[in-house]
Amino acid sequence: MVKKETSKNVSESDIFPISRDKMFQLILDNIPTRIFWKNRDSIYLGSNHLFAKDAGVDAAPNILGKTDFDLAWKKSEAEFFIKTDQKVMDRGESELGIIEPQKHADGKESWLETNKIPLKNDDGEVIGILGTYSDITERKKIFEDLKQKNRDLELKNKELEQFAFIASHDLQSPLHTIINYIDLFQSENKKELSDEGQLYFDFIKDASTRMKELITGLLEYSRIGQDIQLETIDCQVICEDILKDLQGLIQEKNATIQLGDLPEVVASSVEIRMLFQNLIENALKFSKPDIPCKIEVTHSDKNRYFQFTVSDNGIGIDPLFEEKIFIIYQQLHNKTTYGGNGIGLAHCKKILDTFGGKIWLDQNSKDGARFHFTIPK
């Protein structure tokens, strides 16, 4: 049987070779964050080594009794630090994530993210302040660089959109003239033109008409996101109106379209209508010729956004082309068979980018195509 030793009083010096004060300072000096504390009058009572180095003090204990005006900071910085101290102590509430500049003893200037917490005694009275900070100079530099790059990118995008608008708008008129004169020439010279001549003019007219459609699409694409008027839109009403407008195509395709109970969203009615119409028209256009077309439009609530789904039983899309289908003027199928100009899905993506949403092709769809898209609440 093992005999249990009786406990005995053990002093701190028996189990650790340095004093409590030295141990406390050792811990502080090995924390990678700057730490300091002051009394009610913003006089320093202590700090760790990293803070003392920034402040131009040779050792942390030597900061005792100093104020910010005795340290390496600029006068304006010292005034700001003390003002913030008093604000925190007067309110008795912490102030976290303060972004402020600081000039170090070595002349280096940096940006800090500071936290200041009021120190309270057992009676709840504020007797001082505890501060910690981290140097975020590099992070702030990266953030400012990103902001500038975003501004440059926005400017370039606006220039590109303006160019697309002007180019497509100015090209409409001469094309319209070409098509009109082809029609006039063919009608006035119908008897004189050979079959081959008529065929050539038909080719010219078809190419001109297609170019006009492409330019119209580019013009519409460049306008997306311009002068947006945000409003509350009932997607159910929008889709019901679209189905009325597409009634002829729906009958032609012998289609059945089922709408779920769709929600209201805050967006632009013009863009949202274009979004749903493009997806529904695509589903009708790419239906299988031998079976009735079935289309379903549903949604689910995902807390911060609504996720919509437009599915069909048509010819489908190979998942390998998922990225390609959202690029302007990209077509996977023969335009003679299915028509179109390859811009509808590009419109959808740009509309959703404008509102902070996303669109993607469901790669698990076994029959037809299924598109999901999100609209933030």
Side-chain angles (χ1 to χ4, degrees):
M1 184 174 181
V2 178
K3 185 177 179 181
K4 188 176 182 181
E5 293 185 8
T6 57
S7 61
K8 61 180 181 179
N9 293 329
V10 179
S11 67
E12 194 171 325
S13 61
D14 292 333
I15 60 175
F16 208 77
I18 61 175
S19 68
R20 179 177 296 186
D21 288 346
K22 287 184 177 179
M23 180 62 180
F24 177 66
Q25 190 65 48
L26 183 64
I27 292 171
L28 289 178
D29 289 343
N30 281 278
I31 293 174
T33 301
R34 279 74 168 169
I35 302 172
F36 60 87
W37 55 101
K38 307 176 185 179
N39 68 8
R40 198 69 176 77
D41 297 319
S42 287
I43 297 172
Y44 282 93
L45 302 177
S47 76
N48 66 352
H49 175 68
L50 283 177
F51 178 82
K53 183 180 178 182
D54 286 352
V57 179
D58 55 0
N62 295 337
I63 205 164
L64 179 65
K66 297 184 183 297
T67 72
D68 285 297
F69 292 107
D70 302 317
L71 303 180
W73 334 133
K74 296 177 183 176
K75 182 183 177 184
S76 59
E77 292 173 345
E79 290 172 346
F80 176 77
F81 297 153
I82 292 173
K83 183 179 179 181
T84 309
D85 293 345
Q86 296 303 317
K87 179 182 174 183
V88 170
M89 289 187 285
D90 290 345
R91 291 182 177 179
E93 297 177 357
S94 300
E95 190 156 340
L96 308 176
I98 307 165
I99 306 299
E100 55 192 9
Q102 183 190 71
K103 184 174 182 179
H104 298 258
D106 59 6
K108 175 187 172 186
E109 293 189 350
S110 60
W111 282 90
L112 314 175
E113 184 173 354
T114 305
N115 303 303
K116 291 189 174 182
I117 301 106
L119 295 173
K120 299 180 181 180
N121 61 19
D122 293 340
D123 297 324
E125 298 171 333
V126 176
I127 59 172
I129 190 168
L130 170 68
T132 68
Y133 69 81
S134 301
D135 189 323
I136 61 164
T137 306
E138 195 61 31
R139 186 180 15 156
K140 187 171 178 62
K141 182 178 181 300
I142 292 170
F143 177 72
E144 292 300 327
D145 287 346
L146 284 175
K147 278 177 63 178
Q148 184 58 49
K149 286 177 181 177
N150 282 337
R151 284 193 289 266
D152 293 343
L153 189 59
E154 285 176 7
L155 181 60
K156 287 179 181 178
N157 281 339
K158 285 181 180 177
E159 289 174 350
L160 284 172
E161 287 173 356
Q162 187 176 23
F163 169 78
F165 177 83
I166 293 171
S168 56
H169 184 270
D170 290 350
L171 286 170
Q172 293 273 23
S173 181
L175 271 174
H176 187 66
T177 302
I178 291 170
I179 294 168
N180 284 344
Y181 273 101
I182 289 171
D183 285 338
L184 184 62
F185 186 87
Q186 282 184 301
S187 63
E188 290 184 351
N189 298 275
K190 191 172 183 179
K191 293 180 180 179
E192 287 80 5
L193 279 173
S194 65
D195 291 342
E196 189 178 28
Q198 287 283 2
L199 183 62
Y200 289 159
F201 274 102
D202 286 341
F203 284 150
I204 295 170
K205 182 179 178 182
D206 288 345
S208 301
T209 302
R210 175 160 171 75
M211 185 178 288
K212 189 173 187 299
E213 289 173 354
L214 291 172
I215 290 171
T216 300
L218 181 60
L219 188 60
E220 291 173 351
Y221 186 79
S222 69
R223 284 172 172 165
I224 293 173
Q226 302 293 321
D227 301 322
I228 288 177
Q229 300 287 331
L230 293 179
E231 55 187 303
T232 301
I233 302 160
D234 190 332
C235 294
Q236 188 78 27
V237 173
I238 287 279
C239 286
E240 288 172 358
D241 287 345
I242 290 170
L243 297 190
K244 290 176 185 175
D245 293 342
L246 297 176
Q247 196 58 43
L249 184 58
I250 292 170
Q251 290 177 355
E252 178 189 327
K253 296 289 185 176
N254 191 23
T256 302
I257 302 179
Q258 183 178 349
L259 299 179
D261 186 14
L262 304 179
E264 291 184 342
V265 298
V266 177
S268 163
S269 60
V270 174
E271 269 82 2
I272 291 299
R273 181 184 179 87
M274 187 186 297
L275 170 67
F276 278 106
Q277 183 160 331
N278 279 335
L279 289 170
I280 293 171
E281 279 188 327
N282 262 12
L284 288 165
K285 183 192 303 180
F286 297 108
S287 60
K288 292 177 180 177
D290 53 339
I291 63 172
C293 175
K294 291 183 180 179
I295 301 168
E296 190 173 5
V297 183
T298 59
H299 93 286
S300 56
D301 192 325
K302 301 291 186 179
N303 294 324
R304 291 185 299 171
Y305 58 87
F306 292 114
Q307 180 172 310
F308 295 84
T309 300
V310 179
S311 56
D312 62 62
N313 63 341
I315 62 175
I317 300 172
D318 191 322
L320 292 174
F321 299 113
E322 180 174 5
E323 296 300 321
K324 184 178 180 181
I325 58 177
F326 295 109
I327 300 173
I328 191 169
Y329 295 144
Q330 294 293 315
Q331 291 178 281
L332 304 182
H333 306 287
N334 188 308
K335 64 177 180 288
T336 304
T337 305
Y338 291 101
N341 53 24
I343 203 170
L345 290 175
H347 273 162
C348 293
K349 186 178 186 305
K350 187 174 180 183
I351 289 167
L352 289 164
D353 286 345
T354 301
F355 295 115
K358 293 188 290 186
I359 184 169
W360 66 97
L361 175 69
D362 189 338
Q363 296 194 1
N364 296 318
S365 179
K366 304 297 183 185
D367 181 28
R370 182 183 296 121
F371 285 96
H372 302 290
F373 63 91
T374 61
I375 299 178
K377 292 184 178 179

